[in-house]
Amino acid sequence: GVGAIAATRDARRMLVSAEDGGASEWILPEVKLALGFAAPPPESIAPGESVEPHGEMPDAIAIRPDGREALVARGTRVLRHSMENGRVLGEWRSPSGSVRSLAWAPDGRTVALVARGDAVVHLLRPEDGTALRAVEVDREAWAAGFSPDGRTLAVGSSAGGTTLFDADS
C-alpha cells in the first residue's frame, strides 16, 4: 500500500511512501524508479523511556520547494533526506505526537506540521524542528498547506472545513 505521495513543483519527480517502510523517488512522466531513501537510523532508548509505536509505513512526506530535500515522517520522527542521493541529513521530533501532515513553505524556511489529535498547526524550522510559532484551530487539524506566495496558511480540520490564516501572523 501507499501511505503518502508528494511531487516536486515541476512535476518531474515524485516521492512515495510504501507499506514496506520505505520512501522512494520516481522520475515522471516515465514512472521510473530513481532511488530509494535511506532507512531511518536506529533509535537509542534509555531504560524506562517509552517511545510511541509507529507503523512501518511513513505517515507524511514533503518536498522542499527547490527540490533539494524532503521530509519523511514516521510516527513522531521526522527525517530530512537529500533528494540527490536519499541520504539522511538530519532528524527531529514532532512537538506533539504522531505526524499526520507536513507542508513546506514556498521560501523553504518554514514547515507546517500537523500531529494526530492536535488542534494546533506547528510552524517549524525544517533543519532541526525548532518551533517558530503555533496556529490554534477550532478542531483537530488534519492537513495544512501554504499558498504559492507563502502568505496564506490553509488548515483543514476534522470538522470538514478549511480555515485560511495569515502565515506571518
Side-chain angles (χ1 to χ4, degrees), residues 4-116:
I5 297 174
T8 56
R9 285 182 166 215
D10 63 6
R12 298 190 49 101
R13 295 183 293 164
M14 173 177 68
L15 297 183
V16 178
S17 76
E19 196 168 10
D20 66 0
S24 54
E25 180 180 343
W26 295 79
I27 298 169
L28 300 176
E30 299 91 344
V31 192
K32 178 182 171 189
L33 179 64
L35 60 93
F37 277 17
E43 291 187 87
S44 296
I45 302 170
E49 181 182 8
S50 66
V51 174
E52 185 176 323
H54 58 80
E56 291 301 312
M57 187 171 356
D59 302 301
I61 53 180
I63 300 172
R64 185 182 173 117
D66 64 11
R68 295 186 341 212
E69 298 177 5
L71 298 175
V72 178
R74 181 188 294 256
T76 60
R77 293 174 84 181
V78 178
L79 300 170
R80 194 167 52 94
H81 289 269
S82 165
M83 289 281 288
E84 181 180 332
N85 55 26
R87 284 190 353 221
V88 175
L89 301 172
E91 176 180 348
W92 43 270
R93 293 270 180 194
S94 163
S96 65
S98 289
V99 178
R100 180 188 298 273
S101 171
L102 292 167
W104 221 308
D107 65 7
R109 296 186 306 196
T110 306
V111 169
L113 180 146
V114 172
R116 295 181 192 288

Side-chain angles (χ1 to χ4, degrees), residues 117-143:
D118 203 354
V120 173
V121 177
H122 300 275
L123 300 178
L124 310 167
R125 198 165 72 192
E127 295 81 15
D128 58 10
T130 298
L132 300 172
R133 62 188 168 283
V135 177
E136 293 186 26
V137 294
D138 291 339
R139 301 191 193 270
E140 180 181 355
W142 280 39

